[in-house]
Structures are given as C-alpha cells and as structure tokens.
Amino acid sequence: MKFNDMLKKKKKEETEAPENTTEVLNDDTTAAQSEETQAAEQGPSAEDKLKEELSQANDKYLRLYAEFDNFRRRTTKERVELLQTAGKEIIVSLLPILDDFERAFRSMDQATDVVAVKAGVELIHSKLTNILTQKGLKPMEAIGQPFDADLHEAITNVPAPAEDMKGKVIDEMEKGYYLGDKVVRFAKVIVGS
C-alpha cells in the first residue's frame, strides 16, 4: 500500500507543478526581456555581428566568383581569337611570294630562255627562304651526322661506303627543320649499316 500512496502523492504534485511552472516561466521571461533591453541599449549583440560578417563574406565571395567567371570567359575568348589569327603574320609575309609565283607562271608561257626562268625561280626560292628564316625556321644538317631518333626518321639502311659511316646519315630524302629550338619536321634519312 505504501507504493500506491506514493504514486497518488506524485500525481498530486504533478498536477500542482504546472501552476508553479508558469510562475517560474513568468519570472524567466521578464528576466530575458530585461536582458534584451539592456543588450539593445548596449549595441548589437555578438550574434548580430556574426550575421553581418557572414553577409559581408558572402557578398565578397559572390563578387570574387563573378570576377573570376568574367576573367575565365575573357581568356577563353582571347585564346580562340589567337588560334584563329595565329598564322596571320606568316600568311601576310608569304603573299608577295605567291604574287612572284603567279608572275613567273605568266612569263613561262612566253619564255624561250630556260636560264631566265630558272633564275626567276631561284630568286623566288631565296626570297621564301629568307622570310622563313626571319620567322625562326632553320634547316637541319643531317648528312654525315650520327643517326638520332629524336631528330631523324630512318627510311632505310644501306651498306656504309666506309667503316666510319656506320650508324651515320648517308643521304637525306627530305630535309628536317627547327622552329626556334624545337623540331617541326624530322629529316627523312638513309642510314649506313
């Protein structure tokens, strides 16, 4: 029976507790209200400061992201334009040679002297060589050099005419070229074995 009595007593306390809780709650809300008024008088709270800093950081982030996106678009556009006009300078410099070839073809129709035609073609060839040299193109010297797979493309091997020519380039089928220091065309060569 004691257990039942205790249970009844506890139920009674629980029903009385809500009245006491409201009193406690009323005291807590008035204390919180007085703290808020004191905080408002003192200035912005730490939470307000953090919210403002967060909004400023978000604003900076958005501006930086937009600026980077504009930079990326601009550089992509410039790269496309550069690729489209990359050969413009060399093409413009080769146009006079194209004109020379057209004049040479017209003069070949009436030419009776082969020596004059040959001299004209040699002039055009030297003009072309000079322009390409000015643009950084250099011919590769291969004959008599040791075979180098980084510079030469072997077409075939033939017996070497002399013992010292084994493993060296004997003949050149197609000339190789450098543009600056980079190989732009490998020399097609015949190697002595």
Side-chain angles (χ1 to χ4, degrees):
M1 281 290 232
K2 288 184 181 181
F3 179 72
N4 286 337
D5 288 336
M6 286 178 16
L7 192 62
K8 287 179 185 177
K9 188 176 181 182
K10 187 168 183 161
K11 284 183 183 179
K12 208 182 232 186
E13 286 175 4
E14 287 177 1
T15 56
E16 291 176 4
E19 294 171 6
N20 293 336
T21 319
T22 43
E23 289 175 8
V24 171
L25 285 175
N26 287 337
D27 290 341
D28 286 342
T29 53
T30 54
Q33 288 173 350
S34 65
E35 286 177 12
E36 287 178 12
T37 55
Q38 287 176 355
E41 292 171 359
Q42 292 175 358
S45 69
E47 184 179 327
D48 292 338
K49 288 180 185 177
L50 290 176
K51 285 181 181 179
E52 187 172 324
E53 287 177 13
L54 178 63
S55 68
Q56 288 176 354
N58 281 340
D59 185 51
K60 285 181 184 178
Y61 168 75
L62 288 174
R63 289 178 189 274
L64 184 63
Y65 182 78
E67 190 174 315
F68 176 74
D69 195 40
N70 291 339
F71 168 77
R72 186 178 47 80
R73 285 186 190 143
R74 187 174 55 249
T75 54
T76 303
K77 182 181 174 186
E78 288 172 357
R79 187 178 303 129
V80 167
E81 288 174 0
L82 179 66
L83 289 174
Q84 289 174 347
T85 60
K88 180 182 177 185
E89 184 181 334
I90 191 77
I91 297 294
V92 169
S93 65
L94 292 176
L95 287 177
I97 294 173
L98 185 61
D99 295 336
D100 289 345
F101 272 118
E102 289 174 359
R103 283 191 288 275
F105 288 137
R106 277 184 274 159
S107 68
M108 279 186 208
D109 291 339
Q110 294 111 16
T112 55
D113 188 12
V114 176
V115 176
V117 172
K118 184 179 178 187
V121 171
E122 286 175 356
L123 284 172
I124 295 171
H125 178 266
S126 69
K127 190 174 185 180
L128 176 63
T129 304
N130 287 337
I131 288 175
L132 292 176
T133 303
Q134 288 172 357
K135 300 299 177 186
L137 190 72
K138 294 183 285 186
M140 185 184 296
E141 295 297 326
I143 297 177
Q145 301 293 321
F147 176 74
D148 184 357
D150 291 333
L151 303 175
H152 309 122
E153 184 178 328
I155 302 295
T156 186
N157 287 339
V158 296
E163 194 65 29
D164 65 332
M165 290 301 286
K166 284 188 176 182
K168 292 188 177 181
V169 175
I170 294 175
D171 195 12
E172 187 175 50
M173 299 304 291
E174 194 173 86
K175 199 171 221 19
Y177 290 96
Y178 296 105
L179 185 59
D181 292 333
K182 186 176 179 174
V183 177
V184 291
R185 186 169 84 177
F186 297 98
K188 293 185 179 174
V189 297
I190 297 173
V191 182
S193 59

